[in-house]
Amino acid sequence: MNIAYETGASVSLCPHPQPKLDTQSVTASGQWTTSEPTSKRLPHHPRESERQALLRAAESGCLAFRQIHLAIEKNYFSGKGAPRPFALALPGGMMPTKPMPKENSRWMVGIVDPQCLYVYKCDAFTQRLLLEPGLTPAQLRAKLLPDLPSSLRRRGEHGDQVTWRAYPHRFTSGHLQVDGTFSLPKLKPGNATPVLDYPELVLTKYDKEDIKCFFVYLDTQINIADTLWDKRQCEQVLKLKPLPLVVYCHRTGSVQVYFDDELDSKHLARNEDSLDYFAISQGIAPENFRAMLNLLPMSLRVEALSSELTFSPDVDHKLQQAIQLVSDPRFYSYEKLLELKQSGLPIHQHFFHKRRFQSLLETLLTSEMCRSEQPEHEQTQKQEKAANQMFQLLLHSGASLPKEWCVAFIYGMISFSYFPMPPDIMNCMLVAFSPFESLTLPHLRKIPLTACPGAVIEFDRICRGLNQQQLQSCLEELLRYPRRLNPPTFDIIQSHLLALYHYLAGLNPEILYRLKKSLDWYYPNGAKVIGDLSLDDYIQWVLKLWKQRETHPFYQNWPEHVLRAEQEIAALKQSLHQDDSGASASPLTAEAPTALQFVVDAFSKPPVLPENVGDNEKTILKVLQHYYRRPGPERVIESLGRQTMPTVWKPLHSCSHVLRARNNGLWYMELLEKCQQRRLRKVEKELLALAIIYHDAAAEDVDKSAEETRSAYYFKRDLAGHYPEQLLDNMALAMVSKENDVHRKGEQCLPEPVRWYLRLLRFADRMDIIRGCGVGADFPGLTVTQPLGFDASRLDLPPQLTRDFTSEPGNKSEFQRHLEAAMHGAADLARVTGQLQDWRKKNYTQVYGLNANGSKISENFEWTSEPVQRMNQFIDDNVRRKMAREAGMIVCSDPGHQACRADQNKGITYGIHNSWYDL
């Protein structure tokens, strides 16, 4: 396994601004220049040796972890407790497990070089089985393995079968027997190998001193500050020195190691707690925003969140003014709020302020609820008028509220406010957000029906939806309003009673009896219920109102009240119609590029490459992670608007493509040497291989016309100081010039070495272009194939080697024969590890009985921590097939073994059988 990690110091000491195309140029003489600073070698952390020890342990499969409960784990450190199970951080594997659920005081610790009592493949109940009396390890239903290396080897085999399955797995592996005959593969029951849980190690003992790190899964929603708090709690309870933090990705098997001083930040905890609100304020799904940030190395994420989340100073100043205008009745001003709107502030939208997601409309309503709780003399008509005007301006601008919020707000007014909501604002709410299906008559109990058309309409709508029994229940509730209104008023109770009487069939005497009984305790000894009325007087007043209802003007005119209210509300709704703002209810996005600039800046940082930079697994993994497994800075904002985060960020220029292209380039360099065309120095070969990996670094992020220039910029920026400057300049110039032939640009002025580098880059990339257009029946014909197919003329081959190309098998030059073999090999590899369309007469997968899922394997290359090793594995498989074919052996995938002329009864077989193990 090759471990991917970053250090906080590495990132913070090497800031780079977002690259711009105008900072780069190619001089007339072919000299590559850039105005950007180059990267520097970074100092080691004081505890770097600990980090490296943990990384080596992870690479060798000797890093184990255990979830613990802090309160009881100390009991096991005495050595008297039962052996404790640990799980391995498997190198390069994709563990078929999910992150452990987080519970209070349950954290994970890691140890190095575990000393095992025994090793086994287990499920969740294996540990319980060990406690059964008389049960020995040999009797477990899960197979025991003798030692740790055996466990790692077995797990590696299983991981290959499950994760990288490209061929059928229905057969057991055949093998050569002692007598020289071949044992036939046997058909397995079922079509798939079941997924096993991860192996656990049962240790003989472990103590506090054995704990070398605090362990955490790399989760898309992880909070760094929470993780650090958990780690410090663990250290405090167990009295441990500060532990390194190991971040393990169970999907890829990659590991990152950090120390506290690399992750501490003043605003980190507060910003992480506010990320959901901030994301919503920008119209972004919170889970997508967190997932995007967590594509960054942890130390770079800390740096990105080290400043307070806010808007630009200008927008923030306007927001502060608007908030003051709607939150404090002393500053209510319709005119000033209108000025802010006209200045460009989207007053209708939600925004992020003081770690909360809110809107001016919500703030104004909350302010009005608080104002209504003040003594009556402080409720001025001026404030009420200004509040109503601002409320209408916000609605007119497109402001909106969830109905649940409105109902909760109205309920809050009923439950906590001393005075009712001003009728004008209540009307506007009912106009803008009605109907409220969850609204009930008690929700309206503080609103007189004589002064609020909106309440009249809602009252009528609610009553029409109730049956007589429900209406009787509402009447009983209404008659108890005096106890719930402070102070109770005849106006409210009388208007509500007369309106409700209009829908009732009759006043049941039992209701009055129950009313008296329920209010006796609250109003004893003639206490006043409402006005000057005692309880008995109040009941008589209710009864008299019922008997005389038909002569009361409000009762008689109730249908006209409802009709008039509907007309008034319709007119108000027309006046509030959004007609000039172009606004919507989406969150505050006018400043999205500025507010989200910190994310763009973070994705613009260069990668921190390993110390031994070169054409090796660690360097290539780092480049793939940085440029291919996430969006570039130009695409971050756009990507945040996606509904889901993709698995493959560059489907047309994936990791598997550049890995195949690298192999094409390495092979071509050897062929040129063999044909005595060009002998490259070791440093040139190494840097060319890296240039091939970098050649699509900016693809799909920037405009097609800028891809080569930007990729070359990344290549030179990242590798400056690691290779000779002139060599970097020449190869960067070759990268920029790669598509010159397509754009009909002359290349005669290019220096001689650049021309050769250009040929190598073109060959490497375009040999793999078959991934997109496929290969025709005449492949590997060296002319343009029709229809759209692979055009070998674009390989930019040396003219002196291609003049005598012929279609006669016996007259082909050695170069042509090697070239055609390589073209077939590239097509075969792209077919297995990609999505190549193959129309050859001898289709590779058909000839060898393959059933490869190229798209799935290509997706796995996006996540594996062993990209080079995995690609070489598939190349080796192809080599084995070719060797078997040239030796006259038959590759068999026939369940009946008819194709290989085998006789299972006699133990006779020919060829190799198409299983993972035989290959």
PDB file of all heavy atoms in Angstrom, residues 286-298:
ATOM      1  N   PRO A 286     -26.287  20.973   2.672  1.00  0.00           N
ATOM      2  CA  PRO A 286     -25.211  20.885   3.679  1.00  0.00           C
ATOM      3  C   PRO A 286     -24.343  19.651   3.540  1.00  0.00           C
ATOM      4  O   PRO A 286     -23.119  19.727   3.685  1.00  0.00           O
ATOM      5  CB  PRO A 286     -25.976  20.886   5.010  1.00  0.00           C
ATOM      6  CG  PRO A 286     -27.255  21.594   4.702  1.00  0.00           C
ATOM      7  CD  PRO A 286     -27.602  21.208   3.295  1.00  0.00           C
ATOM      8  N   GLU A 287     -24.968  18.493   3.245  1.00  0.00           N
ATOM      9  CA  GLU A 287     -24.163  17.280   3.130  1.00  0.00           C
ATOM     10  C   GLU A 287     -23.209  17.362   1.939  1.00  0.00           C
ATOM     11  O   GLU A 287     -22.088  16.838   1.988  1.00  0.00           O
ATOM     12  CB  GLU A 287     -25.055  16.043   3.014  1.00  0.00           C
ATOM     13  CG  GLU A 287     -25.991  16.014   1.816  1.00  0.00           C
ATOM     14  CD  GLU A 287     -27.309  16.741   2.055  1.00  0.00           C
ATOM     15  OE1 GLU A 287     -27.407  17.488   3.059  1.00  0.00           O
ATOM     16  OE2 GLU A 287     -28.234  16.552   1.247  1.00  0.00           O
ATOM     17  N   ASN A 288     -23.619  18.038   0.856  1.00  0.00           N
ATOM     18  CA  ASN A 288     -22.725  18.212  -0.291  1.00  0.00           C
ATOM     19  C   ASN A 288     -21.577  19.156   0.036  1.00  0.00           C
ATOM     20  O   ASN A 288     -20.436  18.949  -0.395  1.00  0.00           O
ATOM     21  CB  ASN A 288     -23.504  18.753  -1.495  1.00  0.00           C
ATOM     22  CG  ASN A 288     -24.333  17.681  -2.175  1.00  0.00           C
ATOM     23  OD1 ASN A 288     -24.375  16.540  -1.709  1.00  0.00           O
ATOM     24  ND2 ASN A 288     -24.988  18.028  -3.246  1.00  0.00           N
ATOM     25  N   PHE A 289     -21.889  20.213   0.791  1.00  0.00           N
ATOM     26  CA  PHE A 289     -20.853  21.175   1.147  1.00  0.00           C
ATOM     27  C   PHE A 289     -19.786  20.514   2.016  1.00  0.00           C
ATOM     28  O   PHE A 289     -18.579  20.692   1.797  1.00  0.00           O
ATOM     29  CB  PHE A 289     -21.481  22.361   1.874  1.00  0.00           C
ATOM     30  CG  PHE A 289     -20.559  23.538   2.052  1.00  0.00           C
ATOM     31  CD1 PHE A 289     -20.009  24.171   0.961  1.00  0.00           C
ATOM     32  CD2 PHE A 289     -20.238  24.002   3.314  1.00  0.00           C
ATOM     33  CE1 PHE A 289     -19.153  25.254   1.107  1.00  0.00           C
ATOM     34  CE2 PHE A 289     -19.391  25.086   3.482  1.00  0.00           C
ATOM     35  CZ  PHE A 289     -18.851  25.713   2.376  1.00  0.00           C
ATOM     36  N   ARG A 290     -20.226  19.737   2.992  1.00  0.00           N
ATOM     37  CA  ARG A 290     -19.260  19.039   3.849  1.00  0.00           C
ATOM     38  C   ARG A 290     -18.480  17.995   3.053  1.00  0.00           C
ATOM     39  O   ARG A 290     -17.267  17.842   3.239  1.00  0.00           O
ATOM     40  CB  ARG A 290     -19.989  18.377   5.014  1.00  0.00           C
ATOM     41  CG  ARG A 290     -20.509  19.364   6.047  1.00  0.00           C
ATOM     42  CD  ARG A 290     -21.223  18.641   7.184  1.00  0.00           C
ATOM     43  NE  ARG A 290     -21.656  19.565   8.207  1.00  0.00           N
ATOM     44  CZ  ARG A 290     -20.910  19.948   9.229  1.00  0.00           C
ATOM     45  NH1 ARG A 290     -19.671  19.475   9.347  1.00  0.00           N
ATOM     46  NH2 ARG A 290     -21.369  20.786  10.140  1.00  0.00           N
ATOM     47  N   ALA A 291     -19.160  17.274   2.191  1.00  0.00           N
ATOM     48  CA  ALA A 291     -18.472  16.256   1.392  1.00  0.00           C
ATOM     49  C   ALA A 291     -17.418  16.896   0.495  1.00  0.00           C
ATOM     50  O   ALA A 291     -16.327  16.338   0.309  1.00  0.00           O
ATOM     51  CB  ALA A 291     -19.479  15.477   0.551  1.00  0.00           C
ATOM     52  N   MET A 292     -17.723  18.075  -0.055  1.00  0.00           N
ATOM     53  CA  MET A 292     -16.754  18.767  -0.908  1.00  0.00           C
ATOM     54  C   MET A 292     -15.539  19.200  -0.097  1.00  0.00           C
ATOM     55  O   MET A 292     -14.391  18.983  -0.498  1.00  0.00           O
ATOM     56  CB  MET A 292     -17.406  19.982  -1.568  1.00  0.00           C
ATOM     57  CG  MET A 292     -16.479  20.762  -2.487  1.00  0.00           C
ATOM     58  SD  MET A 292     -15.987  19.843  -3.957  1.00  0.00           S
ATOM     59  CE  MET A 292     -17.516  19.938  -4.900  1.00  0.00           C
ATOM     60  N   LEU A 293     -15.763  19.810   1.065  1.00  0.00           N
ATOM     61  CA  LEU A 293     -14.639  20.229   1.912  1.00  0.00           C
ATOM     62  C   LEU A 293     -13.801  19.035   2.340  1.00  0.00           C
ATOM     63  O   LEU A 293     -12.573  19.132   2.455  1.00  0.00           O
ATOM     64  CB  LEU A 293     -15.157  20.978   3.138  1.00  0.00           C
ATOM     65  CG  LEU A 293     -15.651  22.408   2.911  1.00  0.00           C
ATOM     66  CD1 LEU A 293     -16.208  22.981   4.207  1.00  0.00           C
ATOM     67  CD2 LEU A 293     -14.536  23.311   2.388  1.00  0.00           C
ATOM     68  N   ASN A 294     -14.446  17.902   2.563  1.00  0.00           N
ATOM     69  CA  ASN A 294     -13.718  16.742   3.033  1.00  0.00           C
ATOM     70  C   ASN A 294     -12.978  16.003   1.924  1.00  0.00           C
ATOM     71  O   ASN A 294     -12.332  14.988   2.184  1.00  0.00           O
ATOM     72  CB  ASN A 294     -14.658  15.790   3.776  1.00  0.00           C
ATOM     73  CG  ASN A 294     -15.017  16.324   5.145  1.00  0.00           C
ATOM     74  OD1 ASN A 294     -14.396  17.259   5.630  1.00  0.00           O
ATOM     75  ND2 ASN A 294     -16.017  15.749   5.770  1.00  0.00           N
ATOM     76  N   LEU A 295     -13.055  16.526   0.684  1.00  0.00           N
ATOM     77  CA  LEU A 295     -12.164  16.047  -0.366  1.00  0.00           C
ATOM     78  C   LEU A 295     -10.760  16.620  -0.180  1.00  0.00           C
ATOM     79  O   LEU A 295      -9.793  16.111  -0.737  1.00  0.00           O
ATOM     80  CB  LEU A 295     -12.687  16.456  -1.750  1.00  0.00           C
ATOM     81  CG  LEU A 295     -13.946  15.748  -2.242  1.00  0.00           C
ATOM     82  CD1 LEU A 295     -14.412  16.355  -3.554  1.00  0.00           C
ATOM     83  CD2 LEU A 295     -13.720  14.249  -2.403  1.00  0.00           C
ATOM     84  N   LEU A 296     -10.668  17.675   0.629  1.00  0.00           N
ATOM     85  CA  LEU A 296      -9.372  18.299   0.910  1.00  0.00           C
ATOM     86  C   LEU A 296      -8.650  17.529   2.010  1.00  0.00           C
ATOM     87  O   LEU A 296      -9.297  16.951   2.890  1.00  0.00           O
ATOM     88  CB  LEU A 296      -9.567  19.749   1.374  1.00  0.00           C
ATOM     89  CG  LEU A 296     -10.207  20.719   0.385  1.00  0.00           C
ATOM     90  CD1 LEU A 296     -10.579  22.015   1.105  1.00  0.00           C
ATOM     91  CD2 LEU A 296      -9.272  21.008  -0.775  1.00  0.00           C
ATOM     92  N   PRO A 297      -7.316  17.515   2.000  1.00  0.00           N
ATOM     93  CA  PRO A 297      -6.591  16.972   3.149  1.00  0.00           C
ATOM     94  C   PRO A 297      -7.008  17.713   4.419  1.00  0.00           C
ATOM     95  O   PRO A 297      -7.342  18.900   4.391  1.00  0.00           O
ATOM     96  CB  PRO A 297      -5.125  17.253   2.804  1.00  0.00           C
ATOM     97  CG  PRO A 297      -5.099  17.401   1.321  1.00  0.00           C
ATOM     98  CD  PRO A 297      -6.408  18.002   0.935  1.00  0.00           C
ATOM     99  N   MET A 298      -6.974  17.025   5.525  1.00  0.00           N
ATOM    100  CA  MET A 298      -7.512  17.581   6.756  1.00  0.00           C
ATOM    101  C   MET A 298      -6.824  18.890   7.154  1.00  0.00           C
ATOM    102  O   MET A 298      -7.477  19.845   7.591  1.00  0.00           O
ATOM    103  CB  MET A 298      -7.400  16.549   7.877  1.00  0.00           C
ATOM    104  CG  MET A 298      -8.177  16.905   9.121  1.00  0.00           C
ATOM    105  SD  MET A 298      -8.167  15.568  10.361  1.00  0.00           S
ATOM    106  CE  MET A 298      -9.461  14.520   9.710  1.00  0.00           C
TER     107      MET A 298
END
